[in-house]
Amino acid sequence: ETGMFTFDRGYTSTASCRSKITYIDGDKGKLMYRGYDISYLATKKTFLDTAYLLLNKELPTKEELDSFKEEMAKRSFIHEGMKKLFDSFVDQAHPMAILSAGVSALSTFYFDHLDIDSPEEYMEMANRIIAKIPTIAAFSYRYSNGLPIIYPDLQKGFTENFLYMMRAYPHKHVDLTAIEIKALDTIFTLHADHEQNASTTAVRNLGSTHAHPYAAISAGIGALWGRAHGGANESVIRQLEMIGTVDRVDEFIARAKDKDDPFRLMGFGHRVYKNFDPRAKILKKIRDELIEELGIDSELVAVANKIENIALNDEYFISRNLYPNIDFYSGLILQALKIPKDMFAVIFVIGRTPGWISQWIELKEQETIKIARPRQLYLGPDDRTPIH
Ligand code: SDX
């Protein structure tokens, strides 16, 4: 029992983080999970294959995938007591607020967080949160819109089940086409991990203080919600709707280029990619296919296309390596899938959770875990304390 009082000496700035999970080459526009290129995983594998790979360091055999699917289905239900939490939110509460609270509340149902110190317990915490997040997410949406909740259907696959819980109504059949399920499954895969981005850094920071893993995931949800990060896909659609028509695009492109104007094009630019985000390339193809397949011919898509064509050829954007990022295309696809805007960042959370919890496990498996403690550059006044 003394284990809970032993800590590693010293601290580390998260900037010196070492990881074997994800590799990004921002100049070449390359992204790999555990050594597999993202385009291979997004086109030849499923999201659960990818989640298993992130967690277990190897792609699953057919048997391993089947038992992982069973584990996900078995764990997809949440404690009935959680419904009291959902009831406490006001109508139209943002689903990200409900999701963050729900995940944090999960920590009260499982383990005393000081006892989680074995690979088996790490994996149990990981499987549980990956399986339950879609249910909490769908319940958050249903509660926030005053709709009856739909429980998981154990006959459906992971991604189909989420869409079913979002769209089903007790009194009418819900149609889910294979192309929609595959598009969403690919979106989950493309979001599964991304090295030490802001939300993953938040998760690892809480991991370094030995906080409960579900408190760490809840912190990741909070960080991701920001419009500079995972909230960007919702902001992309809101911005396209605000611009409204193709003839207003030039005015907003000019504002985005104006140094004295804080207006930015949502869905453009990236901290690391100074080339096309490889995930954006894959999503662009899916967006075009889906729009054609679903026969979508909206002013919104025309506005997005005009912005994209201008930005890809304009000196201001080219000289600053500002390319469309994952959020520019995911927002348009989610809209085509009839997912409400305020659920876009929630979709990002469902995809990113295997990455977050794999990064948390990797930190816990380290020989020593030093508490994250980045230092600062002090710019304040010199000591001016009065002598007497
Ligand atoms: C995600 O880190 C990750 O991996 C994140 C993510 C993940 O998977 O976890 O990839 C997901 O968060 C993608 C990013 C989503 N955010 C957005 O789309 C919001 C809009 N983009 C930006 O605000 C911005 O581009 C950032 C925050 C994404 C990146 O900012 P940087 O790299 O710090 O860029 P910067 O602020 O240093 O800007 C460099 C120049 C500046 O101009 P100058 O001062 O050189 O004249 O580029 C300009 C900026 O003004 N610029 C933009 C712009 N983004 C940067 N100008 C117009 N529109 C934009 N979107």
Side-chain angles (χ1 to χ4, degrees):
E1 71 283 359
T2 54
M4 64 175 73
F5 303 117
T6 56
F7 295 93
D8 299 305
R9 295 198 179 292
Y11 65 82
T12 174
S13 134
T14 42
S16 63
C17 167
R18 293 172 179 75
S19 174
K20 296 177 182 169
I21 298 174
T22 292
Y23 171 77
I24 298 176
D25 182 328
D27 295 329
K28 294 199 184 97
K30 178 141 182 88
L31 168 61
M32 294 194 302
Y33 296 157
R34 300 275 192 204
Y36 288 93
D37 190 275
I38 190 65
S39 54
Y40 168 75
L41 294 169
T43 52
K44 303 280 188 258
K45 294 293 176 181
T46 66
F47 174 60
L48 284 192
D49 283 307
T50 303
Y52 185 98
L53 168 67
L54 289 170
L55 282 174
N56 298 284
K57 308 180 180 67
E58 297 297 336
L59 279 167
T61 61
K62 182 173 176 332
E63 295 68 32
E64 288 164 337
L65 182 62
D66 289 344
S67 76
F68 189 51
K69 284 178 182 171
E70 213 176 298
E71 176 79 356
M72 290 295 108
K74 194 178 71 179
R75 292 184 180 280
S76 59
F77 283 80
I78 59 175
H79 191 292
E80 281 294 295
M82 292 274 290
K83 286 163 72 172
K84 294 191 199 86
L85 175 80
F86 291 118
D87 278 331
S88 65
F89 285 91
V90 295
D91 256 4
Q92 301 302 319
H94 198 292
M96 282 293 272
I98 305 176
L99 183 58
S100 170
V103 168
S104 189
L106 270 184
S107 61
T108 59
F109 293 101
Y110 303 105
F111 295 123
D112 170 342
H113 71 291
L114 295 176
D115 295 344
I116 305 168
D117 60 4
S118 72
E120 297 70 29
E121 284 169 330
Y122 296 156
M123 207 47 80
E124 185 168 353
M125 296 306 275
N127 288 343
R128 179 182 293 115
I129 194 70
I130 294 170
K132 290 182 188 325
I133 278 221
T135 306
I136 301 174
F139 283 19
S140 305
Y141 165 69
R142 305 290 291 204
Y143 268 89
S144 145
N145 289 278
L147 298 171
I149 56 171
I150 301 290
Y151 285 92
D153 175 343
L154 299 191
Q155 304 313 313
K156 295 187 183 337
F158 182 92
T159 300
E160 182 184 5
N161 217 350
F162 171 68
L163 275 175
Y164 167 72
M165 290 189 283
M166 279 284 292
R167 287 225 207 121
Y169 283 90
H171 58 284
K172 76 176 187 191
H173 173 69
V174 62
D175 58 328
L176 297 170
T177 64
I179 190 169
E180 287 177 306
I181 296 166
K182 177 61 185 153
L184 186 58
D185 197 76
T186 305
I187 283 189
F188 287 152
T189 297
L190 293 171
H191 285 82
D193 193 54
H194 211 236
E195 203 215 68
Q196 304 311 314
N197 56 83
S199 52
T200 300
T201 300
V203 171
R204 285 184 84 115
N205 277 359
L206 271 80
S208 78
T209 69
H210 298 276
H212 192 289
Y214 296 169
I217 299 293
S218 176
I221 294 170
L224 192 76
W225 192 3
R227 67 174 181 278
H229 191 10
N233 51 19
E234 177 180 346
S235 303
V236 165
I237 298 297
R238 291 189 188 287
Q239 193 170 80
L240 294 176
E241 288 170 344
M242 180 271 292
I243 294 172
T245 54
V246 168
D247 58 357
R248 292 184 62 191
V249 165
D250 292 337
E251 170 198 340
F252 288 95
I253 293 280
R255 285 192 55 188
K257 290 159 66 172
D258 178 354
K259 273 196 86 59
D260 301 324
D261 188 330
F263 178 84
R264 286 197 163 184
L265 275 188
M266 301 315 286
F268 280 79
H270 197 276
R271 291 294 300 165
V272 176
Y273 290 121
K274 299 310 172 191
N275 194 326
F276 224 103
D277 181 335
R279 305 167 297 174
K281 270 190 191 153
I282 296 165
L283 283 181
K284 178 176 168 54
K285 191 165 170 290
I286 293 174
R287 178 203 63 173
D288 296 344
E289 285 164 5
L290 206 56
I291 284 171
E292 193 185 323
E293 172 80 17
L294 300 179
I296 296 172
D297 175 20
S298 70
E299 185 71 7
L300 200 79
V301 170
V303 169
N305 287 338
K306 182 167 182 186
I307 289 174
E308 186 184 0
N309 293 333
I310 292 176
L312 289 177
N313 298 291
D314 182 290
E315 182 45 34
Y316 171 90
F317 296 93
I318 295 170
S319 63
R320 291 167 177 79
N321 300 309
L322 298 177
Y323 295 92
N325 58 43
I326 189 168
D327 295 290
F328 184 74
Y329 297 106
S330 64
L332 289 165
I333 293 172
L334 294 173
Q335 183 126 53
L337 294 178
K338 299 194 277 297
I339 303 270
K341 284 191 288 288
D342 61 3
M343 285 293 288
F344 286 7
V346 170
I347 300 293
F348 200 140
V349 170
I350 296 172
R352 186 54 54 90
T353 296
W356 281 337
I357 199 72
S358 300
Q359 298 260 358
W360 176 81
I361 291 175
E362 182 177 66
L363 179 88
K364 301 303 276 185
E365 287 174 342
Q366 281 176 193
E367 280 300 304
T368 56
I369 302 177
K370 290 181 182 167
I371 188 168
R373 181 60 175 85
R375 291 309 308 274
Q376 63 169 26
L377 193 59
Y378 176 67
L379 301 173
D382 290 340
D383 188 344
R384 53 186 174 163
T385 315
I387 306 295
H388 41 271

